[in-house]
Amino acid sequence: GAGAAPMDTDGGAGAIAAASAADYDNADLNEAALAAHAANQAAAGVEAVAAVAADAAAVAATAAAVDMMLSSTEAELATMAEVDAGLGAGAASVSMTGAGAGAGAGAGNGVGTAAGGAAAAAAVVPLPIVSPSFLTEAVANTARLIDSMLPTEECNRAFVEAGGIKLLLLLHTLPLLPPTFSSSSACHALSVTLRSLAGAHPTPLAKQVRASLSAALETALAKAKAASKHWHKYATDAAIKESAAAAVAAAAATAT
């Protein structure tokens, strides 16, 4: 019979060697891919950390801006209070000066005249440091500035937590505001700003508005109670007749 065909040992060994080389190449490729993936993950992590740091810096800058704005508003309110107190003291000084001038004129002429005292008082009446129109515009500008910052959630929350609602309500009670302030565009701008806070912070806004209204009502009632103790001096028929007689006498004195 025919003998068995000899095995091609050289070809088999070559195939095995080629397969082994291919496996090594694939292993190298896998290691390179893993290294590239790890590098990409590390780079992404670094970018994420940088983004978080940038957000934190932005929040800190916003909080600092809010603190600065609140400090400026508090300083303006303190200045307005000092101005109001100064004007009150100035009016009292003017009254005393006018009375002294009238008495001096009376001593020199033998007759004290109210006209001389009034003229002296008018000559030294101090002018207001801040006009009502300027104060109204300042309130409007403040309200618009704050309203432009409130759409940012972080700024909105920081403003409320720092007591900004109370300061906004105090703007309604500034001295020297004109009698028509409630119907002015400045008051409307202030109302719009408070309305912007109502959506995100209804509870703090409602509590602060209630507290402010209660304080204003208590002050008004105390003043009305104090005035009512002297009301009988002005509401009786005798007081009215006395006032009319004094007016007639004053008119006669002016005519002569």
Side-chain angles (χ1 to χ4, degrees):
M7 294 180 63
D8 187 4
T9 57
D10 293 338
I16 293 173
S20 298
D23 290 338
Y24 283 121
D25 291 340
N26 290 333
D28 292 339
L29 290 175
N30 289 335
E31 290 179 359
L34 290 174
H37 180 69
N40 290 334
Q41 291 294 326
V46 171
E47 292 178 357
V49 171
V52 171
D55 291 340
V59 172
T62 301
V66 171
D67 289 340
M68 183 179 297
M69 180 180 60
L70 291 175
S71 299
S72 176
T73 304
E74 289 176 348
E76 290 179 0
L77 290 173
T79 301
M80 293 300 105
E82 292 177 358
V83 169
D84 188 36
L87 289 177
S93 176
V94 166
S95 177
M96 295 178 64
T97 303
N109 299 329
V111 178
T113 60
V124 294
V125 170
L127 294 177
I129 300 176
V130 178
S131 65
S133 59
F134 175 83
L135 188 60
T136 302
E137 287 299 318
V139 171
N141 291 336
T142 301
R144 295 189 187 102
L145 172 63
I146 297 174
D147 187 59
S148 66
M149 300 172 64
L150 293 180
T152 306
E153 183 178 354
E154 294 84 356
C155 184
N156 194 321
R157 183 174 60 255
F159 181 80
V160 173
E161 291 176 353
I165 294 177
K166 181 178 180 180
L167 295 178
L168 283 176
L169 294 175
L170 285 177
L171 290 177
H172 287 91
T173 63
L174 288 176
L176 302 181
L177 286 176
T180 57
F181 176 75
S182 60
S183 60
S184 65
S185 59
C187 186
H188 176 72
L190 201 54
S191 300
V192 170
T193 303
L194 290 171
R195 192 181 306 126
S196 300
L197 291 167
H201 307 280
T203 301
L205 178 61
K207 288 183 177 179
Q208 192 59 60
V209 169
R210 183 186 180 283
S212 298
L213 288 177
S214 297
L217 182 59
E218 289 177 0
T219 301
L221 289 175
K223 291 182 178 180
K225 185 176 181 180
S228 64
K229 295 179 180 180
H230 308 282
W231 182 247
H232 65 280
K233 296 181 180 180
Y234 309 100
T236 61
D237 293 338
I240 295 174
K241 292 179 180 179
E242 183 179 352
S243 297
V248 171
T254 303
T256 57

